[in-house]
Amino acid sequence: MDHVKVLHCADLHLGAELSSLGNLARERRQELLSTFIKITSICRNEQVDFLLIAGDLFEGSNIDINTVRTVKTTFASIPDTIVAISPGNHDYMAIDSPYADGDWSGNVHIFKSDKEMIDFEEKNVCLWGSAFRSTYVTRPLLESIHATEKNRINICVMHGDLVSNYQLSNYNPVSPLHIRYTGMDYIALGHIHKSSGVMNVGSTWYAYPGCPEGMGFDELDDKGILIGNVYKGSVDLEFRPVCSRRNIELKVDITSAKSDVEVADIIRYDMMKTYGDSYRDNLYKVILEGALDEDYVPDVSSIGARLKGDAYYLKVRDNTHVRLDLEALARETSLKGIFIRMMLEKIAGYDAKDNTEKAEKYRKAMYVGIKAFENEVPLNDY
Ligand SMILES: [Mn+2]
């Protein structure tokens, strides 16, 4: 065979608490499991040879027995796909880990030490893998991995932190220098939750697929897996979204709005316009921006309540500022007047030097300061 078909995923974090979602957490946890099952269905329907799972399949070793059982029976239902799992920093290999159980189906290979190779001669593949055996791995696991059968397709599955040469990491540092000397054709990485795109050092290709389901507002937009063929010295892999919902950060300009009803309408319109018919399926962090008249202060909980039926989950942050006659305020003989005067001078200074970034930073700081004078800055809001 001159190629094999692989599906590469990582960081499913099955069993994660997702406590920030409150009473939705339970349902969302179930959705993570459904997305896992969807991934295995792709393996069945598209005749995938190898399902490569590059760590953090589970959130930890203490996962409820039903989740573990579901994972085992689901793998058993795709006997024609070889499943290769390299434990990561969350689900590291230990005696109390589900990975130590003896009842995984025959198609499942769990890497349990620093370096292992399984020879699939009939598929012309040497499959390499390494396990985290504690939360931290400071020595580069890739350092000891070198292809022995150079004519075979060599694939490595590993959880680790992509770093520049000689940079350190507590999560198995993987550097281009290490990658170069492995002789691998593809290194399936996990740990970074954002898809990296497929990269290469010489004829060794490597990638992070990212997590298949975003678990917070630091994991935005479409999430998925990598699928395609691995050849000797090249790959043909594409990113495919598989997430059931998206986490979205939506900045909405509500300049001159006068009421919570109006703001809710603007947000809803923006959501529909940007995300189409299925806009209600998403999780949103809405950030309100723009200048408002002094007599209207948005009530984020009232706005959120008005949009209850428009999103799976939604929270609103108010980053608007009051439209003020700054020149008049700067003439006041008060601490506030002095503050505004000094900030305006700073901003004008940066504007004159064309340093828009600094000017914008000071402008923002000025508005936060003005709000603080009105006692309107809650703790931890900035
Ligand atoms: Mn990790």
Side-chain angles (χ1 to χ4, degrees), residues 46-228:
E46 302 184 30
Q47 282 103 48
V48 168
D49 295 298
F50 291 93
L51 169 57
L52 311 173
I53 304 179
D56 291 358
L57 169 62
F58 297 112
E59 173 73 0
S61 50
N62 190 19
I63 297 300
D64 82 277
I65 194 148
N66 286 322
T67 302
V68 176
R69 195 174 295 140
T70 304
V71 170
K72 286 176 183 170
T73 51
T74 308
F75 284 147
S77 75
I78 51 163
D80 298 333
T81 298
I82 295 152
V83 180
I85 304 171
S86 285
N89 59 305
H90 276 264
D91 56 353
Y92 59 83
M93 183 59 212
I95 45 168
D96 61 341
S97 157
Y99 296 141
D101 296 350
D103 58 350
W104 293 89
S105 52
N107 60 325
V108 178
H109 297 267
I110 299 165
F111 293 105
K112 293 179 179 163
S113 64
D114 282 359
K115 179 176 87 167
E116 285 170 53
M117 191 272 274
I118 311 165
D119 192 341
F120 294 95
E121 210 177 337
E122 72 289 0
K123 290 190 187 286
N124 193 30
V125 166
C126 292
L127 186 63
W128 300 76
S130 306
F132 270 58
R133 284 182 287 169
S134 62
T135 306
Y136 303 115
V137 174
T138 51
R139 193 181 70 78
L141 292 169
L142 210 53
E143 220 170 36
S144 58
I145 290 182
H146 304 283
T148 43
E149 304 285 330
K150 298 220 161 46
N151 298 324
R152 300 275 183 79
I153 297 170
N154 282 276
I155 298 173
C156 179
V157 191
M158 187 178 273
H159 200 74
D161 199 5
L162 190 62
V163 295
S164 52
N165 293 336
Y166 306 112
Q167 197 187 336
L168 303 177
S169 168
N170 287 329
Y171 301 102
N172 178 28
V174 174
S175 80
L177 209 52
H178 298 131
I179 293 169
R180 181 179 293 278
Y181 289 101
T182 57
M184 293 296 120
D185 299 293
Y186 185 56
I187 303 176
L189 293 171
H191 186 57
I192 306 295
H193 288 192
K194 196 173 161 49
S195 176
S196 66
V198 181
M199 302 171 279
N200 74 302
V201 177
S203 57
T204 300
W205 300 80
Y206 62 100
Y208 287 102
C211 50
E213 194 75 52
M215 282 163 288
F217 289 104
D218 49 351
E219 297 171 3
L220 300 173
D221 305 321
D222 272 337
K223 309 299 272 179
I225 52 110
L226 287 161
I227 187 164

Side-chain angles (χ1 to χ4, degrees), residues 212-377:
E213 194 75 52
M215 282 163 288
F217 289 104
D218 49 351
E219 297 171 3
L220 300 173
D221 305 321
D222 272 337
K223 309 299 272 179
I225 52 110
L226 287 161
I227 187 164
N229 295 323
V230 177
Y231 302 83
K232 183 79 221 149
S234 69
V235 298
D236 179 13
L237 295 168
E238 60 166 28
F239 175 79
R240 189 185 299 177
V242 294
C243 59
S244 57
R245 302 179 191 282
R246 289 174 290 183
N247 288 273
I248 287 161
E249 191 177 276
L250 191 64
K251 291 184 172 160
V252 183
D253 188 338
I254 57 161
T255 293
S256 301
K258 300 259 181 284
S259 70
D260 294 341
V261 180
E262 188 185 349
V263 171
D265 285 344
I266 297 169
I267 296 170
R268 184 182 301 108
Y269 183 74
D270 214 332
M271 284 156 63
M272 289 165 69
K273 194 171 50 116
T274 317
Y275 297 102
D277 290 342
S278 61
Y279 79 95
R280 285 190 177 87
D281 296 341
N282 299 323
L283 295 88
Y284 294 92
K285 176 182 177 181
V286 174
I287 301 171
L288 304 178
E289 296 184 328
L292 299 174
D293 290 338
E294 230 165 323
D295 55 356
Y296 170 56
V297 179
D299 176 346
V300 293
S301 56
S302 139
I303 294 166
R306 280 173 194 287
L307 293 164
K308 212 169 174 356
D310 289 289
Y312 180 73
Y313 173 89
L314 181 137
K315 64 178 177 183
V316 183
R317 285 275 301 267
D318 179 14
N319 269 7
T320 59
H321 56 264
V322 185
R323 196 198 323 270
L324 296 165
D325 185 346
L326 293 169
E327 303 298 328
L329 285 170
R331 285 193 297 272
E332 277 182 15
T333 18
S334 64
L335 197 54
K336 185 173 156 188
I338 295 166
F339 168 72
I340 295 172
R341 196 152 63 237
M342 290 176 75
M343 292 302 269
L344 285 176
E345 277 168 18
K346 281 266 188 198
I347 295 163
Y350 285 119
D351 273 339
K353 278 184 259 172
D354 267 339
N355 191 340
T356 45
E357 202 178 305
K358 268 270 166 78
E360 197 45 48
K361 206 167 171 179
Y362 272 88
R363 193 168 287 120
K364 267 194 172 157
M366 178 177 68
Y367 285 114
V368 174
I370 292 169
K371 269 191 170 183
F373 275 109
E374 311 297 332
N375 285 324
E376 279 177 19
V377 180

